[in-house]
Amino acid sequence: MSRSVKLKRVRAATLADVGRLAGVSAMAASAVINGARTSSRIPPLTRDRILLAAAKLRYRPNAAARALAQRCMNTLGVAGIVDAGPTGGLNQYFLEIFNGVIECAARHEQNTTVLALHDWERDIYRLAAFCDGRVDGVILVAPMIPDACVSILPEHTPFVSLHSNTRLPSVTDLESDEETGAYEIVHHLVALGHRRILHLSADPVMVGGQRRVHGYRRALADAHIPFDPALMVPTGYDQFRARDVVREWLKTTDRRALPTAVFAANDNVASVCLEEFAEIGLRVPDDISLVGFDDTVAARTMVPQLSTVRQPLREMGAKAVEILLERIRLAHGTEMDESPVTVVFPTQLVLRASADKPAAARLAAVG
Amino acid sequence: MSRSVKLKRVRAATLADVGRLAGVSAMAASAVINGARTSSRIPPLTRDRILLAAAKLRYRPNAAARALAQRCMNTLGVAGIVDAGPTGGLNQYFLEIFNGVIECAARHEQNTTVLALHDWERDIYRLAAFCDGRVDGVILVAPMIPDACVSILPEHTPFVSLHSNTRLPSVTDLESDEETGAYEIVHHLVALGHRRILHLSADPVMVGGQRRVHGYRRALADAHIPFDPALMVPTGYDQFRARDVVREWLKTTDRRALPTAVFAANDNVASVCLEEFAEIGLRVPDDISLVGFDDTVAARTMVPQLSTVRQPLREMGAKAVEILLERIRLAHGTEMDESPVTVVFPTQLVLRASADKPAAARLAAVG
DNA sequence: CTGAAAGCGCTTACAG
DNA sequence: CTGAAAGCGCTTACAG
């Protein structure tokens, strides 16, 4: 089915059109429509005439013209890796943050534009090109920018980062206390009676991944459990790569040498574990306990639901917007920028059904 | 920790600056930098000088100025309900589409701006305000716009919709063949031996929900299974509302009168079912089969993985971009617009582990 | 208190 | 083939 539409080549109404129809200057129309304080000097009757004309012409201010005149687009950018892998798992972590960002941006009457990256290093030029006035500032989600590339970042664009893996000069970074989060959840496993706890760790170049490892090791040390290198397997955050690693690991590990609990790099990896465990008849938490990190939607849609560490990703996204807007405001003025280097959010233990006492302990209790 | 940054109030370099440094006009610089065909007339040496000057000044074209001059922002808008509910479940359906959109938009060197709506009717003015030149066109994801509000939509902005619940004049709508998808998955349940199949249906105002109901009823009719109104329970798509409904339904339904299979409105609702079933000790698929719709990430992260109907949401998002770009191109020219009213994508049955023969049939086979 | 003018940074059409 | 001029639609600073 197809249809021909004769396009009416009518351009949208401009401020000049509105002024003409109302019998005033474009400037007067501008003042009234923007509700500027200057509009107070316009007589109420003229005001109404202008508003009526605008409504009649369905006037809509042109964002580009306004941006050019005001040097401000009222649009924030968010750059990050949206897609977790080639097979296309959406990056839940990014999306949670993103949602916090658009919510908060909308409250401040800001639009949000996303720049979907695949690789920070390779796409650094796209990021630079992105900072061409179409956005007033950019939120970098978990950036990992090689030192050599840092200088490519435009100097006239304000940035804020979340979970940055790179120290960026004069960019405030929002983090969460992942070390404590990891400590607490591993401590929880220990308290349940686990002593052989596998950690599926993130890529060591990721700062957050390191923090999780530190928390894990500190919790073991506090419980006088010696660290066993065989119980630390790097899977990374990506669920597709993780699947291969977990599968391989299960295949090459003696069934009786299996740990009693697994602390996965993040919820996605935990969900992969759950599936792979099910594949070989290992039930969670009956046969093996499982915990994750992030508290993304995956943690709640799993059955059993996942015990995990909540990072307040939405709140962090919202806070990033507020800090960025403040920076933008300051960049337009002459005040000093006093924004902090780092803001740390607390993490929170979320206990659900996926972690329980080890099977041996349960049997002992029964028998 | 805090730090004071003395802001260098240096403005970004303009084309005029580049021209000045290279000893040419801004126009010549523009031609070279844009690689326009007019640049061929610029001598190679001058060219190099201009490029060098641009690099030295770290010149970056100003998007607003360019947009104003060209009447084109190279930015596409996506409007939809991102957040599924107040409790904050992200709308996986939207996100899958959104991902297809940004991918394809990036390939065409277009940015993507999202307008997160909460309610189509209440937020219609935000949508209108959104069409102020900051985007060249807008993709409407599952719009539901009351007739009275349709006229508020700006006439100068090209639109494309996905799964529209509203007939919008001169807007191409992308759909998928949900009726067939529903038919096939219910037929699959029937073929497994199920005769008592519960459908948790979408809100009847949703066009897609109606199509799923039709497919469901047609599959029953073809199998000579009489339609039982008691086996159609409206939950809507929202998982939080759905949970209440499912819980209530389970409570008020005699355990022995339970259906042997459930066809949920979408994957999210199916995941809610899975949890609620587990709650009362009902195992999937051993005690009850379960299927969903959409094939979002939830379907793959459930255990057991969910049999469902795949809608090619990413492909649809990508196609929406292409149709929209074509419309934008046409709107700038004088050609006729011949875009179709509706494009229908096929759905696809995805069989996983959540649906099996009914328990009785399995027992019979064993005994 | 008002409106005419200049300017934001770019591109396009038009003289030389 | 080149560059000066006009214009995109708005806002801001400045004369009247």
Side-chain angles (χ1 to χ4, degrees):
Chain A
M1 200 167 19
S2 184
R3 151 201 75 204
S4 290
V5 176
K6 175 98 156 290
L7 284 175
K8 338 171 233 173
R9 308 279 314 125
V10 205
R11 61 169 181 66
T14 71
L15 220 35
D17 296 328
V18 174
R20 202 172 305 124
L21 184 59
V24 297
S25 69
M27 201 232 83
S30 168
V32 168
I33 285 166
N34 292 319
R37 45 163 183 34
T38 42
S39 77
S40 58
R41 62 198 196 185
I42 310 261
L45 255 66
T46 315
R47 244 185 89 81
D48 293 347
R49 224 168 49 237
I50 291 171
L51 258 14
L52 189 69
K56 199 175 283 178
L57 294 174
R58 310 190 71 197
Y59 171 73
R60 212 177 306 286
N62 179 297
R66 187 176 267 182
L68 185 57
Q70 297 190 144
R71 308 180 153 66
C72 176
M73 278 296 277
N74 294 308
T75 298
L76 267 27
V78 185
I81 296 176
V82 182
D83 217 315
T87 356
L90 285 171
N91 184 347
Q92 298 290 341
Y93 161 83
F94 179 92
L95 292 173
E96 294 279 347
I97 291 174
F98 179 60
N99 211 41
V101 168
I102 51 178
E103 271 299 311
C104 184
R107 268 204 304 283
H108 290 277
E109 301 186 298
Q110 301 287 312
N111 279 105
T112 309
T113 293
V114 2
L115 179 67
L117 270 25
H118 292 291
D119 178 297
W120 285 97
E121 179 166 4
R122 200 155 38 79
D123 291 339
I124 189 82
Y125 286 96
R126 288 184 51 217
L127 176 56
F130 187 59
C131 303
D132 62 355
R134 84 187 65 197
V135 291
D136 303 322
V138 178
I139 296 169
L140 306 170
V141 180
M144 182 152 55
I145 303 173
D147 287 345
C149 295
V150 168
S151 64
I152 294 169
L153 288 181
E155 0 178 48
H156 299 289
T157 301
F159 291 104
V160 167
S161 62
L162 285 101
H163 286 138
S164 179
N165 297 292
T166 311
R167 166 104 338 276
L168 262 18
S170 53
V171 172
T172 295
D173 185 45
L174 309 195
E175 306 186 348
S176 59
D177 189 357
E178 298 172 75
E179 205 271 355
T180 301
Y183 177 89
E184 287 178 355
I185 201 149
V186 174
H187 176 79
H188 168 67
L189 292 172
V190 168
L192 284 171
H194 295 276
R195 293 188 61 86
R196 292 185 46 73
I197 302 170
L198 174 69
H199 180 36
L200 300 177
S201 63
D203 196 320
V205 296
M206 305 296 265
V207 173
Q210 283 171 9
R211 295 202 176 115
R212 294 173 201 189
V213 169
H214 290 152
Y216 165 76
R217 295 192 63 160
R218 184 158 66 83
L220 293 185
D222 280 8
H224 307 295
I225 299 173
F227 170 69
D228 178 355
L231 288 179
M232 182 127 117
V233 175
T235 57
Y237 288 144
D238 182 279
Q239 58 185 313
F240 299 97
R241 259 191 307 151
R243 189 180 297 279
D244 295 338
V245 176
V246 169
R247 209 170 264 179
E248 185 59 28
W249 184 82
L250 284 172
K251 208 185 298 173
T252 57
T253 304
D254 180 4
R255 182 76 177 247
R256 279 165 322 183
L258 245 30
T260 62
V262 173
F263 168 35
N266 66 14
D267 293 347
N268 277 331
V269 172
S271 119
V272 163
C273 283
L274 190 62
E275 290 169 35
E276 295 302 322
F277 290 168
E279 201 70 31
I280 61 167
L282 223 49
R283 293 159 307 162
V284 172
D286 306 38
D287 302 319
I288 192 165
S289 284
L290 178 65
V291 301
F293 210 102
D294 282 354
D295 196 28
T296 54
V297 67
R300 278 158 279 152
T301 53
M302 265 179 238
V303 179
Q305 293 195 329
L306 189 72
S307 289
T308 188
V309 177
R310 183 174 139 75
Q311 303 198 72
L313 298 177
R314 293 193 186 207
E315 291 84 332
M316 292 175 75
K319 186 70 178 174
V321 168
E322 266 152 16
I323 292 179
L324 185 57
L325 286 176
E326 177 66 7
R327 276 195 91 89
I328 290 168
R329 201 180 63 71
L330 290 175
H332 283 218
T334 53
E335 293 167 61
M336 287 297 117
D337 185 351
E338 305 255 350
S339 46
V341 176
T342 308
V343 178
V344 180
F345 286 74
T347 55
Q348 186 193 334
L349 206 53
V350 180
L351 299 182
R352 299 203 180 92
S354 68
D356 202 345
K357 295 197 173 91
R362 280 204 315 276
L363 289 176
V366 174
Chain B
M1 201 167 15
S2 185
R3 151 203 74 208
S4 289
V5 176
K6 176 96 155 287
L7 284 176
K8 336 171 236 175
R9 308 277 315 124
V10 204
R11 63 166 178 69
T14 71
L15 220 35
D17 297 328
V18 174
R20 201 173 304 122
L21 183 60
V24 297
S25 68
M27 201 232 82
S30 167
V32 167
I33 285 166
N34 291 318
R37 44 163 183 38
T38 41
S39 76
S40 59
R41 63 200 195 183
I42 312 259
L45 255 67
T46 315
R47 246 184 87 79
D48 292 347
R49 223 168 52 236
I50 292 171
L51 259 14
L52 189 70
K56 198 176 281 176
L57 294 174
R58 308 189 73 198
Y59 171 73
R60 211 177 306 287
N62 178 297
R66 187 175 265 183
L68 186 56
Q70 297 190 141
R71 308 178 153 66
C72 175
M73 279 296 277
N74 293 310
T75 299
L76 267 25
V78 185
I81 296 176
V82 182
D83 218 314
T87 353
L90 285 173
N91 185 346
Q92 298 290 339
Y93 161 83
F94 179 91
L95 293 173
E96 294 279 347
I97 292 174
F98 179 60
N99 211 43
V101 168
I102 50 180
E103 272 297 312
C104 184
R107 268 204 305 283
H108 290 277
E109 301 186 296
Q110 301 287 312
N111 280 105
T112 308
T113 293
V114 1
L115 179 66
L117 270 25
H118 294 291
D119 177 297
W120 284 98
E121 179 167 3
R122 200 157 36 78
D123 290 340
I124 189 81
Y125 286 98
R126 287 184 52 217
L127 177 56
F130 187 60
C131 303
D132 63 354
R134 85 188 63 196
V135 290
D136 303 322
V138 177
I139 295 169
L140 305 170
V141 179
M144 181 152 55
I145 303 173
D147 286 344
C149 295
V150 168
S151 64
I152 295 169
L153 288 181
E155 359 178 48
H156 299 288
T157 302
F159 291 103
V160 167
S161 61
L162 285 100
H163 287 140
S164 178
N165 297 291
T166 312
R167 166 101 342 271
L168 262 16
S170 54
V171 172
T172 295
D173 184 45
L174 308 196
E175 307 187 346
S176 59
D177 189 357
E178 298 173 75
E179 205 272 353
T180 301
Y183 178 89
E184 288 178 355
I185 200 148
V186 174
H187 176 79
H188 167 68
L189 293 172
V190 169
L192 284 171
H194 295 277
R195 294 188 59 86
R196 291 184 48 73
I197 303 170
L198 174 70
H199 180 36
L200 300 176
S201 63
D203 196 319
V205 297
M206 305 297 263
V207 174
Q210 283 170 8
R211 296 202 176 113
R212 294 173 201 190
V213 169
H214 289 151
Y216 165 74
R217 295 192 63 159
R218 185 159 65 84
L220 293 184
D222 279 8
H224 307 294
I225 299 172
F227 170 69
D228 179 355
L231 288 180
M232 181 127 122
V233 175
T235 57
Y237 289 143
D238 183 280
Q239 59 185 314
F240 299 99
R241 260 191 308 153
R243 189 180 297 279
D244 296 338
V245 176
V246 169
R247 209 169 263 178
E248 185 58 30
W249 184 82
L250 284 172
K251 209 183 296 170
T252 57
T253 304
D254 180 4
R255 182 75 176 246
R256 280 165 320 179
L258 245 30
T260 61
V262 174
F263 167 35
N266 66 14
D267 292 348
N268 277 333
V269 173
S271 118
V272 164
C273 282
L274 190 63
E275 290 169 35
E276 294 302 322
F277 289 167
E279 202 70 30
I280 61 166
L282 222 47
R283 294 159 305 163
V284 172
D286 306 37
D287 303 320
I288 192 165
S289 284
L290 179 64
V291 301
F293 209 101
D294 284 354
D295 197 27
T296 54
V297 66
R300 278 158 279 152
T301 53
M302 267 179 233
V303 179
Q305 292 194 323
L306 189 70
S307 290
T308 188
V309 177
R310 182 174 139 75
Q311 302 199 75
L313 298 176
R314 292 193 187 207
E315 292 85 332
M316 292 175 74
K319 186 68 179 175
V321 169
E322 266 153 15
I323 292 179
L324 186 57
L325 287 176
E326 177 66 6
R327 276 195 92 88
I328 291 167
R329 202 180 63 72
L330 290 174
H332 284 218
T334 53
E335 292 168 63
M336 288 297 115
D337 186 352
E338 304 256 349
S339 47
V341 176
T342 309
V343 179
V344 179
F345 286 73
T347 54
Q348 186 193 334
L349 206 54
V350 180
L351 299 182
R352 299 201 179 92
S354 69
D356 201 343
K357 296 201 173 89
R362 279 206 313 280
L363 289 175
V366 173

